[in-house]
Amino acid sequence: MGGMPIRLTGRRPEVSPDRLLSECVPPPRFSGVRFETYRPDPDEPSQAEALAVLRRRGELLAEPRRERSLWSRLRGSKPAGPEKSGIYLDGGFGVGKTHLLASLWHVSADPKMYCTFVELTNLVGALGMRSAVEALSAYRLICIDEFELDDPGDTVLISRLLGQLVGAGVQLAATSNTLPDKLGEGRFQAIDFLREIQGLSAHFDVRRIDGPDYRHRGLPVAPDPWSDARVEQAAEERPGSSCDHFVDLHHHLAELHPSKYGALLDGVQTVGILDIRELTDENVALRLVVLADRMYDRDIPLVASGIPLDRMFTPAMLKGGYRKKYLRALSRLIALANTGMTDA
């Protein structure tokens, strides 16, 4: 028997900067991937080309970072390495971009860092720009998965951050399904921030990876919602389960910095949510996206009541500027629910 369920809404975790940095590694599902385990599609030559490019960069990054002399820093000369400080993998979902990114991280010398774009912006928000630049400038490589610009503030923030890191000799690698010069389109007036966007783009050698996009195959089927009583019973019976009302949970998320959402799930083995409802507030929806990512990273099953998960985001949201984020969150939440709600 599991006993009394955990209430996420009763938790207010404090996360130290050291913990935030120490957790910047590939999620468990990518801990074992390597270049050797990537299988390029023979019908998509861009996949093999991207693999070859990443392997070559990995050979350079396997060497420890050499500190630049005072003279070279004063002259502004670049450290030895690739012509551009970053490699940018563009392509649809399910073509192996994250596999390649994590493989590059695994072969590279320490110190190195791996995070999603959201985690990077949250990290800068938690540390402050100056402290973040000081901490991250020591890294040999920073890998950024799911690179995306959601608002003008992010554009300016990341433009400043990456510019300073590149100047310090940090190598970058990123994945996205949006070309660097198209970042931000559909979310804000990107034309007003063209200089920052072009500055970001200039740091990267862009490699397109073609292949079938999972969106063409549609989302997995959401399981039928359970009753409130069944969710509560499951939370009581399964060790390490949480159980919270949907409204209480998203109100609680609004009071926490998103960098703490991972710590919120410490020790949780199943997440139970009561009375899931359709979301009408984009801010609430985006917080749920971050929580879904942290649950997915940790492979935490979900049990839920209320409306089916595939109706949580409105049709307008699924057609809007954050469409890709919501589709990714739905795919992940449905996968976690199919595990949690068929393992009864």
Side-chain angles (χ1 to χ4, degrees), residues 52-72:
V53 169
L54 267 291
R55 279 184 181 275
R56 289 195 296 271
R57 191 164 287 241
E59 292 170 359
L60 294 171
L61 290 168
E63 299 294 328
R65 179 178 173 182
R66 296 179 181 177
E67 291 300 325
R68 298 161 64 191
S69 68
L70 176 61
W71 176 244
S72 67

Side-chain angles (χ1 to χ4, degrees), residues 256-269:
L256 296 177
H257 192 278
S259 64
K260 299 180 180 180
Y261 289 8
L264 187 69
L265 297 167
D266 282 353
V268 177
Q269 299 179 42

Side-chain angles (χ1 to χ4, degrees), residues 9-20:
T9 51
R11 291 182 160 189
R12 292 189 174 276
E14 292 299 325
V15 183
S16 69
D18 287 343
R19 173 173 174 173
L20 287 176

Side-chain angles (χ1 to χ4, degrees), residues 298-314:
R298 293 160 176 74
D299 280 317
I300 302 176
L302 171 67
V303 293
S305 64
I307 64 171
L309 287 166
D310 52 14
R311 288 171 44 197
M312 187 169 65
F313 301 112
T314 66

Side-chain angles (χ1 to χ4, degrees), residues 14-274:
E14 292 299 325
V15 183
S16 69
D18 287 343
R19 173 173 174 173
L20 287 176
L21 291 169
S22 70
E23 290 180 341
C24 290
V25 298
R29 65 183 59 245
F30 291 102
S31 62
V33 302
R34 298 294 187 274
F35 288 133
E36 293 75 16
T37 61
Y38 182 73
R39 298 289 180 262
D41 186 338
D43 295 327
E44 301 291 350
S46 62
Q47 295 185 13
E49 291 168 4
L51 174 61
V53 169
L54 267 291
R55 279 184 181 275
R56 289 195 296 271
R57 191 164 287 241
E59 292 170 359
L60 294 171
L61 290 168
E63 299 294 328
R65 179 178 173 182
R66 296 179 181 177
E67 291 300 325
R68 298 161 64 191
S69 68
L70 176 61
W71 176 244
S72 67
R73 291 198 300 270
L74 289 173
R75 290 176 58 195
S77 60
K78 292 179 61 177
E83 182 179 347
K84 290 199 174 184
S85 299
I87 182 79
Y88 188 103
L89 303 179
D90 172 69
F93 297 100
V95 296
K97 302 188 304 297
T98 299
H99 185 135
L100 290 172
L101 185 70
S103 298
L104 180 66
W105 185 91
H106 284 300
V107 302
S108 298
D110 291 323
K112 54 191 177 182
M113 173 178 167
Y114 183 106
C115 60
T116 65
F117 179 81
V118 170
E119 288 172 324
L120 180 61
T121 56
N122 290 341
L123 179 66
V124 177
L127 299 181
M129 176 62 77
R130 182 175 179 178
S131 296
V133 170
E134 290 177 357
L136 302 185
S137 292
Y139 283 81
R140 178 81 168 97
L141 169 72
I142 296 179
C143 294
I144 309 167
D145 199 15
E146 300 166 358
F147 199 106
E148 195 58 271
L149 296 178
D150 296 331
D151 60 49
D154 282 348
T155 305
V156 175
L157 180 79
I158 296 303
S159 178
R160 287 180 55 202
L161 176 70
L162 297 189
Q164 293 186 60
L165 295 181
V166 167
V170 179
Q171 294 289 310
L172 307 172
T175 71
S176 182
N177 45 45
T178 306
L179 289 169
D181 60 355
K182 301 296 183 184
L183 289 166
E185 285 189 356
R187 294 161 181 79
F188 59 91
Q189 293 298 317
I191 191 65
D192 295 337
F193 295 87
L194 189 59
R195 184 177 64 181
E196 283 81 4
I197 293 170
Q198 289 175 337
L200 286 172
S201 179
H203 297 315
F204 294 103
D205 173 14
V206 179
R207 297 287 168 166
R208 173 76 188 179
I209 304 181
D210 296 310
D213 189 325
Y214 91 90
R215 289 171 298 176
H216 298 162
R217 302 193 297 268
L219 286 169
V221 177
D224 292 332
W226 283 1
S227 66
D228 288 354
R230 191 177 180 190
V231 172
E232 290 172 335
Q233 181 181 358
E236 291 173 0
E237 293 176 349
R238 299 184 190 185
S241 294
S242 69
C243 188
D244 296 271
H245 192 279
F246 184 66
V247 174
D248 294 337
L249 180 59
H250 72 65
H251 283 165
H252 187 59
L253 293 178
E255 298 174 354
L256 296 177
H257 192 278
S259 64
K260 299 180 180 180
Y261 289 8
L264 187 69
L265 297 167
D266 282 353
V268 177
Q269 299 179 42
T270 299
V271 168
I273 302 179
L274 303 172

